[in-house]
Amino acid sequence: MKPERFLEILHLCERLKNNTRHADTSTGRRESVAEHSWRLALMAMLLREEFPHVDMGKVIELCLIHDLGEAFTGDKPVFEKTEEDSRKEAEAYRGWIATLPPSLSQRMAALCNEMEARETPEAKLYKALDRLEALIQHNESPISTWLPLEYDLQKTYGWEDCRDDPYLKELREAVLQETLDKIEKNV
């Protein structure tokens, strides 16, 4: 890949540093999409020993690229995002992927297909960690930033992605306990 093309790709991806999510950091600042993706990849790296049967390098790749479509559309919280929003984001992302150098385009398209199908252990793990990271970040944010519906979401979101793996289920239960402790402390 020519250096100029590489820089074009990076410049587009830089948008994720500026696109914010519906989550605040512990200091009350809006979290960027890039920060979410970075910590998601870090979570995968830290859990490598818990999932020795999983290609954690691929999981990290999935974590790093999973929200690149938001470079085109911005982020919408899960409770506001419609199927039409998801379609537009995927269409823009897939269109951009098609413009990449052939080997990179094929790799990215294959990773997107794997994420969407959620059939491989790697795709299932990435998605569970994606849900968990959002919950963990929300628990770290000031409770004054929580919307009323988020009290219930913190208790119910992500269970379906964690239910089939004993470690993920235990981690989801620990996140729930943090949620309950935070709510109790701030009532």
Side-chain angles (χ1 to χ4, degrees):
M1 174 180 341
K2 292 197 177 289
E4 295 80 11
R5 184 63 174 128
F6 176 73
L7 291 172
E8 284 176 24
I9 293 167
L10 285 184
H11 296 325
L12 181 119
C13 295
E14 190 267 346
R15 294 178 188 174
L16 297 183
K17 292 182 178 184
N18 296 310
N19 290 356
T20 56
R21 291 170 50 82
H22 178 78
D24 288 16
T25 67
S26 59
T27 63
R29 176 183 57 77
R30 281 290 166 157
E31 173 192 40
S32 74
V33 176
E35 290 168 315
H36 161 68
S37 295
W38 166 79
R39 187 155 81 163
L40 183 54
L42 180 65
M43 289 169 65
M45 186 202 77
L46 293 172
L47 292 175
R48 186 178 302 269
E49 291 184 16
E50 298 297 333
F51 298 92
H53 62 286
V54 173
D55 178 352
M56 204 57 82
K58 183 185 272 189
V59 175
I60 291 169
E61 285 182 304
L62 295 171
C63 293
L64 289 171
I65 71 159
H66 82 285
D67 276 342
L68 273 175
E70 293 177 8
F72 303 98
T73 62
D75 178 69
K76 287 200 177 186
V78 68
F79 51 85
E80 290 179 3
K81 196 170 199 173
T82 66
E83 284 187 29
E84 178 66 10
D85 294 329
S86 295
R87 188 194 61 72
K88 285 180 181 177
E89 181 181 315
E91 188 176 280
Y93 187 25
R94 294 250 184 205
W96 176 71
I97 288 171
T99 71
L100 297 173
S103 63
L104 180 57
S105 178
Q106 291 168 0
R107 176 73 178 157
M108 296 277 284
L111 289 169
C112 285
N113 291 340
E114 187 170 345
M115 281 190 293
E116 288 171 10
R118 260 191 260 166
E119 294 172 350
T120 65
E122 291 79 11
K124 290 176 183 178
L125 179 56
Y126 128 75
K127 193 57 178 179
L129 294 177
D130 183 34
R131 305 266 199 231
L132 288 165
E133 197 287 328
L135 293 164
I136 292 164
Q137 185 61 55
H138 211 63
N139 277 342
E140 292 169 341
S141 68
I143 203 162
S144 62
T145 65
W146 290 23
L147 298 174
L149 65 87
E150 292 172 315
Y151 286 80
D152 284 333
L153 256 180
Q154 282 294 109
K155 297 173 188 174
T156 59
Y157 186 67
W159 284 103
E160 67 282 356
D161 297 292
C162 298
R163 71 173 178 247
D164 295 331
D165 181 86
Y167 183 84
L168 291 173
K169 189 174 177 184
E170 184 179 351
L171 181 56
R172 180 60 184 96
E173 289 168 356
V175 171
L176 174 60
Q177 190 57 58
E178 282 190 349
T179 297
L180 297 174
D181 293 345
K182 183 176 187 91
I183 293 170
E184 184 178 324
K185 178 180 170 190
N186 289 284
V187 169

